[in-house]
Amino acid sequence: KTTNMEAADEFMKYRSPLVSRYASKEMAYNFSDSKKFTTWRKLWIYLAKAEKSLGLPITEAQIQEMESHQRDIDFAMAAEEERKLRHDVMAHVHTFAHCCPAAAPIIHLGATSCYVGDNTDLIVLRDGFDILLPKLARVIDRLANFAEMYADLPTLGFTHYQPAQLTTVGKRACLWLQDLTMDIRNLQRARDDLRFRGVKGTTGTQASFLQLFQGDHDKVEELDRLVTEMASFKKSYLVTGQTYSRKVDIDCLSSLASLGASVHKICTDIRLLANLKEIEEPFEKEQIGSSAMPYKRNPMRAERCCSLARHLVALMADPLQTASVQWLERTLDDSANRRISLAESFLTADIILSTLQNISEGLVVYPKVIERHIRQELPFMATENIIMAMVKAGGNRQDCHEKIRVLSQEAAAVVKQEGGDNDLLARVQRDPYFAPILGQLDAILDPRTFIGRAPQQVSRFLSEEVRPLLEPFRAKMDVKIELEL
């Protein structure tokens, strides 16, 4: 009965859909309290080990005691301590000290709250990128396979969403890939540019640590280096205020917002093509597209991506404004905002990549529909080729142009005013003026002659720019996505 009441209570308060409905377990854990506070304890252990190695009176028994209690966090006690102290870090210092009485005097020695707060954030950001990068690589891989498969399948190109010159299905996919390859480089650079805050003290001057080591600057620098190395960072920021510069958050979240823009564009294209019935996202055997219209096959995966991508792009305003108002060495008006914006950016990017991988693994192409659309538009696009063929056969360009203009207007009226099919080709075939080239019309109207170098561009782009980017992720490339809808 108690269990049922507790379960019901969960539905009496707001739960973030990003966690309860969408994001992967690994990304949800990355921003969990468990990850956060066990990392705080790791950082206190790193600090104690480094301080001990540099001569401070810390014993191995104290460190072992801390290590043995790293994961057994009494969250209820921590919550009660925070209620009393109104300070989350000190609440957890007291909670850790309660189960580590021998180590209690040296936990958090010389440090400020941002030692655990900011350094943990940097670890979480780095680990978040490490979750996202293989997912983005898999999306790129699936779309590259798709582009390769349809590299030479002609399709109508669109500018202004009006029919334009032909391209190929694979070439269009390469436009998507071009954006995503920029994104994977941006994410990798943002990840690799991250540094550790290290041990810098309350205003970033390391004054408390200089006092601990009795004015020995070399030991203070070595302490910073040792802790940075234990946390698996290659470098720490040489200068900080109380916090690391909040422009670091801008750098990280801008790469994610840019990814969001790319995904929104890709999934909008898929939605437009689904309306044309040329390409569809995967559709489950028993999936219902509409409660009222049984025939519908809504592109709900692509719509989900667009919906969440808008949120990801919108989150970019938070770190920009936060960084701009960090007075002097820091203010605390960053804290509440960052608890939301950092986590939500990574959680949102996580689910749109999982969803896009699912879409890209099951895209369905309908060549016959694509061919029909080409037939409806190609005669208009081929008029210049018909004129050139007539000139080669001895005709006058201006006379031929006028003939084609009149016939094109008549055919366009049939399409637009009568709702009929484009009959320009039939009109050309019936007009004795075009008798010299009738035998060439099939070749002139072959869609493959209108796609230019699209297949060659696909091949070169995939081999020179896309495949090499995926090499570092080969070991994680075979992961499939089971998408909860």
Side-chain angles (χ1 to χ4, degrees):
K1 189 174 181 179
T2 303
T3 303
N4 289 339
M5 289 177 62
E6 289 173 352
D9 187 54
E10 282 299 303
F11 296 99
M12 299 298 289
K13 56 190 177 185
Y14 176 77
R15 298 184 302 161
S16 169
L18 288 173
V19 175
S20 65
R21 191 172 177 91
Y22 297 130
S24 67
K25 290 181 180 178
E26 56 185 346
M27 189 62 83
Y29 173 74
N30 190 49
F31 286 92
S32 68
D33 282 350
S34 180
K35 167 76 174 274
K36 177 179 179 178
F37 297 129
T38 55
T39 304
W40 283 13
R41 292 190 175 188
K42 278 185 187 177
L43 289 166
W44 283 321
I45 293 167
Y46 296 159
L47 182 63
K49 284 183 173 181
E51 288 174 337
K52 176 181 180 295
S53 71
L54 292 169
L56 292 188
I58 295 171
T59 68
E60 187 61 32
Q62 289 174 311
I63 290 172
Q64 288 179 2
E65 184 183 53
M66 293 166 73
E67 288 179 329
S68 67
H69 291 285
Q70 182 195 318
R71 293 194 168 276
D72 59 339
I73 299 173
D74 188 335
F75 287 99
M77 176 184 287
E80 178 60 23
E81 289 289 333
E82 186 171 353
R83 188 189 66 78
K84 290 188 297 184
L85 302 173
R86 295 290 188 266
H87 197 290
D88 57 350
V89 174
M90 288 311 298
H92 277 269
V93 169
H94 287 195
T95 303
F96 197 18
H98 179 75
C99 58
C100 301
I106 56 94
I107 294 172
H108 198 66
L109 183 60
T112 188
S113 299
C114 287
Y115 167 69
V116 287
D118 270 31
N119 282 324
T120 293
D121 286 346
L122 291 162
I123 290 169
V124 168
L125 292 175
R126 180 191 64 190
D127 294 350
F129 280 123
D130 287 343
I131 294 169
L132 293 179
L133 281 163
K135 291 192 174 192
L136 179 51
R138 290 196 293 270
V139 170
I140 292 171
D141 176 71
R142 286 13 171 210
L143 285 176
N145 295 339
F146 177 83
E148 190 170 43
M149 181 179 298
Y150 295 103
D152 57 1
L153 179 62
T155 190
L156 274 179
F158 287 87
T159 58
H160 317 276
Y161 202 41
Q162 302 299 313
Q165 275 193 347
L166 300 192
T167 183
T168 69
V169 172
K171 171 63 191 298
R172 178 177 285 144
C174 284
L175 299 182
W176 303 338
L177 283 164
Q178 174 101 296
D179 292 348
L180 294 177
T181 56
M182 294 172 68
D183 291 319
I184 199 168
R185 286 193 291 265
N186 287 341
L187 263 66
Q188 189 69 60
R189 182 205 52 76
R191 187 253 184 241
D192 292 344
D193 280 355
L194 286 172
R195 298 188 187 186
F196 204 51
R197 180 188 173 273
V199 285
K200 298 296 193 298
T202 54
T203 57
T205 65
Q206 298 175 302
S208 58
F209 296 103
L210 192 62
Q211 186 176 2
L212 275 177
F213 290 104
Q214 299 178 340
D216 191 328
H217 290 268
D218 290 339
K219 284 191 175 181
V220 174
E221 289 211 0
E222 181 64 6
L223 177 70
D224 203 352
R225 189 194 68 77
L226 286 172
V227 174
T228 298
E229 186 179 82
M230 290 181 202
S232 301
F233 281 83
K234 294 179 180 177
K235 292 181 178 179
S236 66
Y237 297 106
L238 293 180
V239 293
T240 72
Q242 190 172 86
T243 66
Y244 68 79
S245 170
R246 295 314 184 210
K247 281 185 71 69
V248 174
D249 296 343
I250 294 175
D251 199 30
C252 292
L253 268 57
S254 66
S255 69
L256 301 185
S258 184
L259 170 65
S262 300
V263 174
H264 200 295
K265 193 269 192 233
I266 293 167
C267 290
T268 300
D269 284 357
I270 291 171
R271 293 163 66 190
L272 292 171
L273 294 168
N275 172 259
L276 298 175
K277 296 180 173 62
E278 293 189 357
I279 289 179
E280 284 183 345
E281 65 178 38
F283 199 86
E284 306 297 334
K285 184 178 179 181
E286 298 181 4
Q287 183 177 332
I288 294 174
S290 167
S291 60
M293 295 166 280
Y295 60 87
K296 290 192 77 180
R297 292 169 67 95
N298 298 334
M300 57 84 61
R301 292 168 172 84
E303 289 172 318
R304 174 187 288 181
C305 282
C306 288
S307 185
L308 290 169
R310 281 201 301 276
H311 180 56
L312 182 54
V313 171
L315 283 167
M316 186 65 237
D318 278 339
L320 286 168
Q321 295 186 59
T322 295
S324 71
V325 296
Q326 286 303 285
W327 304 345
L328 306 174
E329 278 63 50
R330 76 95 40 113
T331 61
L332 195 59
D333 62 344
D334 62 339
S335 178
N337 185 288
R338 293 175 71 251
R339 287 175 192 269
I340 299 167
S341 60
L342 296 184
E344 288 203 357
S345 292
F346 278 83
L347 289 163
T348 306
D350 178 67
I351 187 55
I352 65 175
L353 286 177
S354 294
T355 309
L356 187 54
Q357 180 182 335
N358 179 264
I359 292 171
S360 59
E361 287 175 346
L363 281 173
V364 181
V365 177
Y366 295 107
K368 293 297 182 184
V369 178
I370 292 172
E371 185 182 335
R372 184 173 77 244
H373 291 158
I374 290 174
R375 284 200 309 269
Q376 291 169 349
E377 301 293 340
L378 193 58
F380 292 139
M381 297 177 190
T383 53
E384 184 65 21
N385 296 40
I386 293 172
I387 292 170
M388 291 299 100
M390 280 296 297
V391 170
K392 288 181 182 177
N396 178 281
R397 188 194 184 284
Q398 279 65 42
D399 293 341
C400 185
H401 184 278
E402 180 60 18
K403 284 277 188 182
I404 286 288
R405 187 189 69 80
V406 171
L407 295 179
S408 295
Q409 295 288 348
E410 293 171 354
V414 170
V415 173
K416 295 179 179 178
Q417 297 172 21
E418 301 175 22
D421 292 332
N422 185 343
D423 63 355
L424 175 59
L425 181 57
R427 292 173 186 274
V428 169
Q429 290 171 327
R430 289 196 300 267
D431 193 321
Y433 178 82
F434 294 100
I437 64 163
L438 289 184
Q440 303 175 44
L441 281 179
D442 285 345
I444 290 172
L445 290 164
D446 183 350
R448 290 172 296 181
T449 65
F450 288 82
I451 59 175
R453 298 191 64 256
Q456 291 76 18
Q457 288 181 354
V458 171
S459 178
R460 185 177 176 191
F461 176 63
L462 294 181
S463 63
E464 292 185 19
E465 295 197 24
V466 178
R467 301 295 188 195
L469 274 177
L470 302 180
E471 281 306 312
F473 305 99
R474 278 291 153 209
K476 299 182 179 180
M477 202 56 71
D478 293 333
V479 178
K480 297 285 286 185
I481 293 295
E482 295 296 330
L483 194 65
E484 294 293 334
L485 298 179

